[in-house]
Every structure is written in C-alpha cells, then in structure tokens.
Amino acid sequence: MQAEYDSSSPDVMRMFYQRLYPFKSLFQWLNHEHAPSKMFTHREFAFTLPGDIYLRYNSFTSVDELKKQVVKLNPSRFEIGAVYTAMPRDRKTLRPGILQPTMRELVFDIDMTDYDAIRTCCSGKGICRRCWGFIAAAVDVLDAALREQFGFRHLLWVYSGRRGIHLWISDAQALALTDEERKALMGWLEVVKGGKDQTKKVNVRFGKGGYEVLHPALRSALDHLKNSFNNLILADQDCFAEEDGYKVLLELIPDKSEFDIRTYLQEDWAADLNRTSSEKWNDIKRGIKRETKDNDNKKTQLLAALEDIILQYTYPRLDAEVSKHRNHLLKAPFCVHPSTGRVCVPVDPVRVHEFEPENVPTVGKLLQELSDIPANGQEHHSDWEKTSLKPYVDMLDRHVIALMSERRQTKKEQSTSQSSHNSALPLSFCYS
C-alpha cells in the first residue's frame, strides 16, 4: 500500500525540506558565486508559520545555516527579499535608518485573478490548461519586451504553485535599480490599467485624435498578440458568446455617429444566440469597412479601437506594486503551495504554452518517489535528483551557471582595469 502524503502535515513538509528542497541551487542563484557574499548574507528571508505567524528580517551566513533554520521552523512557505546595507537580523542593534535595501532582483507577478472577468473555462481558484493560455501569452510578450527593449538576459520564470507565474531578473543592472527607476519601468510596461468598473483599460495612443499612433514596441507586441487573440479569446475561450461578454466588446467601440454600428450589431447578435465570438469579431470588421468607406478619419479611429481591444484582452496584466519596491518579498522558488501541494517550479518561457499546471510535481508525489530510498538518519542535499523534480532543478542550475559565468567575467574585467590603473601610478603611490 502506498503511503499518503498530505502537504498540510508538518511531518511531510519537514521531510520535503530535509530531503528534497534544493538549498544549494537556491544559494548559488541568489549569491552569484560559490563563497557566501553580501548578496546572500545581507539578504532578507521571511517565514510563514502555522497560526498566521510571519517572521521577517531573517538572514544567514551560509546555506547550511539557512537549511537548518528552515527545517527547524518548518514554514508553510518562505519568501526572499532585498539585499540590505547590513544583515537584517541585526536590525535591532543598528542605529535608526541604517538598514536600507541596496539591491533586489526585478520581480514580476502575473496572476489568473486579473483574468477572471474574461476567462470562461474556469472561475475562482480553478485553473486548467486552457486558461493557462492567458499566462502563456503574457509570458511571451513580457519576456520579449524585457530582453529586447531593456537588454536583460537572466530571466527566471517560476510557476506560483496554483494559478500564476513569477519572474525574477538577476542582471546586475536589474539588481541595482532604485525604487523610482522600478516605478518608471513599470509605468512603461503596464498597459492594461483600471478597476473592474472601468470598461476601457487601454489608453496608450498619442496623436491629434488620441488614436493615430501606437508606440513601435507595442506595435510589435500587437503583431504577436493577434494570433493569441484569435486562438485564445475568440476560438478557445469564446469570450463574446454570451451577452455579458459582447456588451463589453461593443462598449469598447467608440462609434457615436448617426449610424452607430454598435446598435445594429447588438440587435443582430441578440437575435442569433448561437453566433460565435469569431463570427461577431468578423461582423465588427465588416461593419467598420461598410460604414467608413468614405470616412478615412473614422476608419482609422475604429481600427485603432480594435487593436486596443486585442491589447486589453491579451496583453500581460501585471501586479505593479510587486515590482515597484525593493523591500517587497516574493515566495521562493521550489516552495510548496499549501492549497495544491504543487511545487513552485521554474518554467521554460520557450515552452510555456506546453506547460500544464496539473502535471507539476506535488510534495506527495515526490515523497512517494523517495519511499524506497532510506533516509539512514543522514543529511540529504540532493535527493531531488532521484525524483521528477530533477529537470526543474537542472533548469535553475543552468540559469545559475550563466549568472556565475557573467559574475566571474565582471570580476576579471574589474581586476584587469584596476591592474592597468595601478601600473600607471608611481610605485610610491601603489604601495603606500
């Protein structure tokens, strides 16, 4: 008989931390080199314990010390924060104002909650492969924008464990961004804005009429998102099949002329309840073509509105507050989501459309895979190699290798530059 492993059980979670959590890989990812540096020792960790106990400002001198404390506290999850001017655990002995964040990965959070108003396959806390398409489309656009427009290279995408995805950017330039610079960057990337009572959530055009020009970066994203819109919004989710859906669609068409195409479209659709979203979208395009053949200005306005609709339904919906502040904490990769038991594993952005949340390893599945391997009372650092967690840890390790390689190259260049500088100085200055 197979053992039952419940992720809510303290014994199960302790076993997971002792035998499966890849602490060494996590340390190297945060530290960028093998020997502990301030990138790790001055880093904040926070722990969530049973009874809604939340412990902030923890820090550690080594990865072994971190593992020992995690196993001892046995948190339901732990989070990673900024690198500070001093070790966060010493904050009570420091003068006021001394402890300040100095570095932090640039992080992003995309959650299915922000798509609840438009997805039709699931609701509430549910997620399936179909609505994962919203997350996948967002990853496509955001990954390309951050690499091509900002030049970032070290992007780590991590499944949140239930219905979202996190992004950590570890480039030196990203780590050094101030809060003000992060806010400016988010101001550029945030396209879909507004609460649930605001129908039009995309206002990114500029020009005489406010609809003529779309920035080239958004134009490039739009060209990609047209396929996502057709496949995901129109065909798969069929977002405009029901009255609630197509009424919102019609409200996004700014036609207030005497022959308002919205009026007759609504009448036609109300009379044909079986009309699909794809058919309704084609109805709109035909209506625009017919009503604007002698009015280029109106045609430009209405076609721009269709493009904005595509952006509104498919462009990444970002939790801006997560990204704006260096002192914001984010759940560590490879934690276990308490509701699903799934491990927060890395995701390859190239294959994000193939990713299936339901197939992510759970803590129960992983421990079952280890059930035939005796613990022998010894410390275990890499039992994950014997389980289905291995490809995901390998993915993080490949990411770490690139980070470390760049770090070594940077230190080598700095050393060469310093040597060249010293050689140009009088000997009395160099050895003073």
Side-chain angles (χ1 to χ4, degrees), residues 196-263:
K196 62 180 181 180
D197 296 327
Q198 182 177 332
T199 302
K200 183 171 174 55
K201 302 180 188 295
V202 171
N203 295 283
V204 291
R205 294 179 182 272
F206 57 94
K208 183 178 179 181
Y211 52 79
E212 289 92 342
V213 182
L214 194 64
H215 191 280
L218 287 178
R219 175 64 60 190
S220 176
L222 179 66
D223 291 340
H224 175 82
L225 288 172
K226 287 178 180 177
N227 286 331
S228 296
F229 185 81
N230 289 333
N231 296 332
L232 177 64
I233 304 300
L234 299 182
D236 189 341
Q237 295 290 320
D238 203 6
C239 290
F240 312 127
E242 304 296 330
E243 184 177 10
D244 288 346
Y246 72 68
K247 276 190 173 181
V248 173
L249 173 63
L250 292 173
E251 287 179 27
L252 293 171
I253 301 174
D255 187 4
K256 298 181 181 179
S257 63
E258 181 179 355
F259 302 100
D260 187 345
I261 64 173
R262 296 178 302 182
T263 301

Side-chain angles (χ1 to χ4, degrees), residues 259-272:
F259 302 100
D260 187 345
I261 64 173
R262 296 178 302 182
T263 301
Y264 68 75
L265 284 175
Q266 182 162 344
E267 292 174 353
D268 289 348
W269 296 347
D272 184 359

